[in-house]
Amino acid sequence: MKTKITIGLAAATLTLAMASCGGANTDAPPGAKTPPPGAAATEAETKAPDNMITAADITLGDIDQTMASAGKGIYELKCQACHSVGTNRVVGPGWKGITERRKPEWIMNMMLNVDVMLDQDPEAQKMLEECLVRMPNQSLSKDDGRHVLEFMRTL
Amino acid sequence: MKRPVLSALVLLSGAGGLFLLFNTMQGCRPQTAQTVVSGDVASKVYIKPGSHDEFYNFVSGGFSGQMSVYGLPSGRLLRDIPVFSVDPENGWGYSEETKPMLMTTHGFIPWDDSHHVEASMTNGVPDGRYMFINGNNTPRVAMIDLKTFRTASIIEIPNSAGNHSSPFITPNSEYLVAGTRFSIPMGTDAQRDVPIETYKENFKGTVSFIKPDTATSTMSIAFQITTPAVDFDLAHAGKGPSDGWFFFSCYNTEQAYSLLEVNASQRDKDFIMAVNWKKAEQYAKEGKGKMIDGKHYMNHYDESVHSATSKVVDQVLQLDPKELTDLLYFMPCPKSPHGCDVDPTGEFIVGSGKLAATLPVFSFTKMQKAIADKDFDGDFVGIPVLKYESVLHGEVKKPGLGPLHTEFDNNGFAYSSMFVSSEIVKWNVKSLEVVDRVPTYYSIGHLCVPGGDSKQPWGKYVIAYNKITKDRYLPTGPELTQSAQLFSIDGDKMELLLDFPTTGEPHYAQAVPAELIKDKSTRFFKIEDNKHPYATKGEKEARVVREGNKVHVYMTCIRSHFAPDNIEGVKVGDEVYFHVTNLEQDWDVPHGFAMKGAPTAELLIMPGETQTLKWVPQSVGVKPFYCTDFCSALHQEMQGYLRVSPAGSNVPLKFETRSVDAGS
Ligand SMILES: [Cu+2]
């Protein structure tokens, strides 16, 4: 009885890991999946701010190479430690094909308002339960975020 | 409804008064811990979870060499800022970047004794930009930046021996002072190598004027005034009408050099030394000083490179008051004055003769007149002594026993600490009448009113910093925490609200409204602005470089891994430098770094910062390193290995984390 339950849980964990943490890597630690405490976000930061990005805030045209290469610079400094540009998970999901999987405003909010997303957005929360590391607020400006988005579109 | 409550309060405070009288009469016997605490004082100090205190209280750590920050009125300890001592909590003095901060002409000093906290001022009022504190044993002054709550600069004071009379500041932060406690022989080696019994011929005192530069957060010594050989104790700057003057208390005018306890307590009066610093500044500008030997270190921590450097200066500009007139005057002050405090109007100067039965209050107007009239009572080693009666505003009679220090409120009252009778005495500065007294537990030293040494005190509280704790808290063996006590001064009567334990010895302190500081507090260092020569800007740049027997590890950390985390090719006897850059860009996500076998435990690296741990491996093996700051749910996974091979082996240098682009 007991063994079966454990196996069942482990299997569930695996599927979730594949689905949400975007990875060929299924090395999410097994066991209790208690979401980590919201230690990194202050009470003030997790109240939905007025500056959430909406679809209307973003226009996508042909890929702008200057913006994309600025985005690549930011990626290498602030994101590469956790995200590959492939499909493999490092700490967070790989970015290949991300702009096909996610809406641009959702990606922008992940970059600019990550604490709100991790507290309120079900998709983001699902990933957190898998990755178990809170995606850090890397303090990007709106322009920074837009440049990284452009870089993601090249992947 | 209100009446009965009021009269109950009066009754209670009446009882308190009686209680105190009783206690004072008991003389040397310690008072009991049972204090009359009236009404619902708990609500006056209760700060509910998640709310902030009204004041920051910056308190000297005394013999810890550091400065502690408490919130008031809660008394909660917010931070211990490392200043003059190494700090195992964050690697201060252990990391390569911070070691130069503790360099002096006596070499690296890992532990000093800090005494007085002073706030930077604008228009005579604390402006919340910097705190200053003195190093007493190895004479130094430190400048603490209140954006980062970190020590930005430390300057050594040459020709000083025991920097006690420091670091008091002028109303617009023009100068900080440093008066030497001990007089000493100065000059060349031959001039300094003299018999102690030639004190009178060969010894001199100095008071140094230090210029803080707020643009660069650095300090330099503008000039130094030589003085007759005495011991300087404390000081405060003039303000308002007395702006341009500085007042120093001095004792040992007997010029004793042995058994001072007896030999320096002979004379009826010692002095308050009045310094015309505007005049001194002018003399210095006119080139009237002399450059003399005065080697000293100037250490500065530059935030843009996250590193400190030391500069050594060989000489200082000295002004000799025997040749340059109108610089110094002595005002006689009864019996070994300790505190030397100027009231908010700038007219009154209080000298606290610690062995005196009265508290003399001097008048600046009268002092000016006495100087103009040459109303002198002879001279002391060539410096004019003003007539006591001519400069005296009046004496507070029977204030208590062992007066030490005085702070002020904004309503014309002064609060003096009485060490021997263990109480705070409130008196009217103009009329000199004692209006209230409360016992402190036990043996109060310094005291602090928010803004209490400025032109516009915020008042509200007086905090007693006590020297003896005894039974105030649960006992912890022979060594006890020291203790502070918070009193409300809003009403006519002082009211005890709270005891709170302190780290080290709570010496002088400053309290500043939180609004002046909290919104300017740095949250993290921008990684783009990190100009550390060994910074690693992104994991892609993580690497290991060998230069002879030096191995530089350019390492990054982020929740929750290091890059690189597998290193090979290091040999016994190599000098390994771990330059660890924290790539996080959010508030309160430090990482730690500890290497097994490194003699200093760890580094603590703030977001965007680079810090360096030096390690010389002593033995062969695969050695672990790990993060010491609980950073995420996977903190316990934040670790790595370093392989150490025998000296002279040819294991190639190799480093990696997992390949970041494996899946593309
Ligand atoms: Cu960590």
Side-chain angles (χ1 to χ4, degrees):
Chain A
M1 239 345 233
K2 218 176 176 189
T3 328
K4 253 186 202 162
I5 289 176
T6 318
I7 289 166
L9 260 176
T13 304
L14 258 173
T15 353
L16 255 170
M18 307 270 294
S20 330
C21 212
N25 270 4
T26 51
D27 58 356
K33 285 281 177 279
T34 327
T42 66
E43 268 182 62
E45 281 162 355
T46 51
K47 280 183 202 120
D50 312 323
N51 50 0
M52 291 298 278
I53 307 288
T54 62
D57 295 328
I58 308 166
T59 30
L60 299 179
D62 291 342
I63 286 176
D64 180 328
Q65 286 306 336
T66 324
M67 274 165 70
S69 80
K72 182 165 190 264
I74 296 162
Y75 162 75
E76 286 172 353
L77 181 61
K78 296 184 164 184
C79 322
Q80 191 175 37
C82 299
H83 292 286
S84 79
V85 290
T87 52
N88 62 313
R89 177 194 160 198
V90 179
V91 178
W95 282 357
K96 194 170 185 67
I98 183 173
T99 47
E100 285 135 44
R101 279 187 281 126
R102 306 280 192 196
K103 293 213 176 81
E105 64 272 21
W106 189 94
I107 294 176
M108 286 289 278
N109 282 323
M110 232 11 232
M111 297 194 272
L112 302 180
N113 301 302
V114 62
D115 288 315
V116 181
M117 292 294 275
L118 291 178
D119 274 53
Q120 295 176 7
D121 183 273
E123 283 298 309
Q125 281 171 338
K126 220 195 290 171
M127 276 192 299
L128 172 60
E129 277 171 29
E130 271 324 304
C131 299
L132 279 181
V133 173
R134 274 185 84 96
M135 145 99 183
N137 173 2
Q138 287 293 68
S139 297
L140 300 193
S141 69
K142 224 180 221 174
D143 283 347
D144 289 343
R146 185 62 190 81
H147 296 165
V148 175
L149 179 66
E150 204 66 7
F151 170 61
M152 285 171 166
R153 294 176 70 206
T154 68
L155 301 176
Chain B
M1 241 348 248
K2 233 179 184 166
R3 273 248 170 103
V5 178
L6 265 177
S7 49
L9 271 175
V10 171
L11 257 173
L12 264 174
S13 41
L18 264 177
F19 176 73
L20 168 89
L21 219 108
F22 177 68
N23 267 309
T24 341
M25 279 164 57
Q26 301 231 324
C28 288
R29 217 159 344 127
Q31 297 152 336
T32 72
Q34 307 306 315
T35 319
V36 181
V37 176
S38 53
D40 177 25
V41 296
S43 66
K44 296 186 182 163
V45 297
Y46 182 70
I47 301 295
K48 73 174 198 293
S51 301
H52 292 164
D53 278 292
E54 185 183 354
F55 291 96
Y56 282 103
N57 189 198
F58 298 89
V59 185
S60 166
F63 42 65
S64 82
Q66 319 291 48
M67 184 193 284
S68 309
V69 188
Y70 302 85
L72 295 179
S74 73
R76 296 184 293 194
L77 174 65
L78 305 178
R79 177 124 190 80
D80 267 326
I81 304 175
V83 186
F84 295 114
S85 300
V86 297
D87 184 1
E89 187 176 322
N90 57 25
W92 179 256
Y94 293 113
S95 67
E96 294 306 302
E97 287 78 1
T98 55
K99 280 178 183 170
M101 291 303 281
L102 300 180
M103 280 305 295
T104 74
T105 54
H106 308 277
F108 180 83
I109 304 279
W111 180 13
D112 199 356
D113 176 25
S114 63
H115 273 234
H116 310 117
V117 182
E118 182 75 312
S120 60
M121 300 226 197
T122 302
N123 298 324
V125 180
D127 55 24
R129 290 189 295 169
Y130 297 95
M131 285 290 154
F132 299 91
I133 189 165
N134 59 324
N136 199 46
N137 184 42
T138 304
R140 282 172 290 173
V141 169
M143 182 176 196
I144 287 119
D145 187 336
L146 297 183
K147 287 197 296 299
T148 55
F149 281 56
R150 284 183 167 186
T151 305
S153 282
I154 294 182
I155 189 166
E156 194 178 3
I157 315 297
N159 300 318
S160 169
N163 182 32
H164 194 269
S165 191
S166 185
F168 303 96
I169 201 162
T170 55
N172 278 302
S173 304
E174 297 95 335
Y175 297 104
L176 295 150
V177 297
T180 183
R181 168 173 167 186
F182 298 85
S183 283
I184 43 164
M186 296 167 207
T188 61
D189 278 1
Q191 285 169 318
R192 281 184 287 127
D193 181 16
V194 295
I196 297 168
E197 63 192 27
T198 62
Y199 184 100
K200 281 194 179 152
E201 301 95 271
N202 289 325
F203 287 41
K204 273 188 287 188
T206 54
V207 292
S208 302
F209 283 73
I210 303 161
K211 188 123 208 114
D213 178 355
T214 51
T216 57
S217 300
T218 58
M219 295 173 286
S220 57
I221 294 175
F223 52 85
Q224 207 166 55
I225 304 174
T226 55
T227 73
V230 289
D231 285 33
F232 289 103
D233 208 350
L234 284 152
H236 263 105
K239 47 187 167 252
S242 56
D243 190 8
W245 289 78
F246 228 108
F247 305 95
F248 294 81
S249 55
C250 38
Y251 62 104
N252 190 23
T253 53
E254 294 84 354
Q255 302 196 304
Y257 45 88
S258 175
L259 196 62
L260 264 65
E261 183 180 13
V262 177
N263 295 333
S265 308
Q266 300 296 311
R267 284 167 61 117
D268 202 35
K269 294 202 172 57
D270 292 285
F271 297 126
I272 298 277
M273 183 175 82
V275 179
N276 186 339
W277 66 258
K278 282 258 161 82
K279 191 98 195 179
E281 184 180 56
Q282 183 197 326
Y283 282 141
K285 263 195 203 121
E286 291 166 0
K288 300 245 168 90
K290 279 197 198 83
M291 292 306 289
I292 82 140
D293 285 357
K295 193 169 175 184
H296 60 282
Y297 269 69
M298 292 165 61
N299 307 327
H300 173 55
Y301 191 91
D302 180 345
E303 228 170 68
S304 70
V305 289
H306 298 293
S307 305
T309 45
S310 295
K311 199 169 127 188
V312 184
V313 179
D314 286 321
Q315 293 192 308
V316 278
L317 182 69
Q318 271 194 353
L319 304 176
D320 183 351
K322 285 198 187 135
E323 291 160 17
L324 306 169
T325 53
D326 306 330
L327 272 188
L328 304 185
Y329 297 92
F330 284 122
M331 298 196 281
C333 185
K335 291 268 170 204
S336 305
H338 191 61
C340 180
D341 301 288
V342 181
D343 89 311
T345 67
E347 167 63 11
F348 300 113
I349 302 121
V350 183
S352 303
K354 48 187 192 282
L355 308 175
T358 62
L359 209 55
V361 181
F362 301 96
S363 152
F364 181 73
T365 315
K366 287 187 175 178
M367 186 192 101
Q368 290 299 84
K369 184 162 187 307
I371 291 172
D373 297 350
K374 298 210 173 346
D375 196 358
F376 300 149
D377 196 358
D379 70 298
F380 178 75
V381 201
I383 305 298
V385 177
L386 300 166
K387 270 211 191 87
Y388 181 64
E389 294 73 21
S390 308
V391 291
L392 190 71
H393 161 62
E395 291 174 343
V396 182
K397 303 285 186 209
K398 292 214 183 287
L401 302 179
L404 290 187
H405 306 280
T406 302
E407 292 266 293
F408 304 89
D409 69 15
N410 215 10
N411 302 315
F413 292 101
Y415 301 80
S416 297
S417 58
M418 302 291 151
F419 177 74
V420 178
S421 55
S422 193
E423 56 186 327
I424 298 176
V425 174
K426 176 180 176 182
W427 50 278
N428 184 304
V429 178
K430 275 234 170 77
S431 73
L432 305 170
E433 271 168 315
V434 172
V435 297
D436 190 26
R437 42 179 84 231
V438 285
T440 63
Y441 303 94
Y442 305 93
S443 300
I444 180 176
H446 278 272
L447 75 180
C448 162
V449 170
D453 70 341
S454 78
K455 246 171 135 173
Q456 279 165 357
W458 287 282
K460 202 154 181 175
Y461 303 109
V462 61
I463 310 106
Y465 300 98
N466 298 314
K467 303 292 187 197
I468 294 172
T469 308
K470 293 208 191 281
D471 56 355
R472 296 303 285 182
Y473 307 102
L474 284 174
T476 55
E479 274 183 67
L480 304 172
T481 179
Q482 295 216 0
S483 185
Q485 290 188 291
L486 180 77
F487 297 84
S488 161
I489 56 169
D490 274 344
D492 288 341
K493 297 280 170 196
M494 293 175 275
E495 183 187 21
L496 176 59
L497 303 179
L498 180 76
D499 278 22
F500 61 97
T502 61
T503 53
E505 180 215 1
H507 220 91
Y508 193 39
Q510 293 286 335
V512 174
E515 289 75 57
L516 284 182
I517 296 172
K518 66 175 184 186
D519 296 332
K520 291 184 275 184
S521 207
T522 301
R523 294 194 162 198
F524 60 87
F525 300 104
K526 282 204 175 120
I527 184 80
E528 292 90 340
D529 298 344
N530 180 334
K531 299 198 178 65
H532 192 295
Y534 291 98
T536 309
K537 299 283 194 90
E539 215 164 87
K540 210 177 135 196
E541 292 179 19
R543 63 198 186 276
V544 182
V545 177
R546 177 181 279 284
E547 289 165 8
N549 74 331
K550 289 195 171 72
V551 177
H552 291 281
V553 181
Y554 292 76
M555 184 179 275
T556 62
C557 56
I558 197 154
R559 277 164 279 180
S560 283
H561 62 276
F562 294 106
D565 65 3
N566 281 199
I567 300 169
E568 298 190 359
V570 171
K571 296 169 220 167
V572 170
D574 278 344
E575 272 178 30
V576 184
Y577 294 87
F578 296 97
H579 308 286
V580 188
T581 301
N582 181 346
L583 293 178
E584 308 272 356
Q585 289 291 279
D586 197 3
W587 197 18
D588 198 17
V589 203
H591 290 286
F593 178 81
M595 178 75 227
K596 187 187 173 195
T600 54
E602 60 163 319
L603 296 172
L604 187 67
I605 312 124
M606 292 301 128
E609 195 178 41
T610 304
Q611 293 284 290
T612 302
L613 183 85
K614 180 185 167 185
W615 174 55
V616 181
Q618 306 291 320
S619 61
V620 171
V622 174
K623 320 271 175 170
F625 56 87
Y626 69 99
C627 172
T628 52
D629 192 277
F630 202 106
C631 53
S632 80
L634 298 176
H635 160 70
Q636 205 63 4
E637 279 71 11
M638 192 160 177
Q639 64 175 51
Y641 286 114
L642 185 146
R643 173 180 167 193
V644 182
S645 304
S649 76
N650 51 12
V651 175
L653 200 65
K654 200 173 132 191
F655 52 91
E656 60 191 350
T657 324
R658 70 291 163 288
S659 162
V660 287
D661 282 346
S664 58

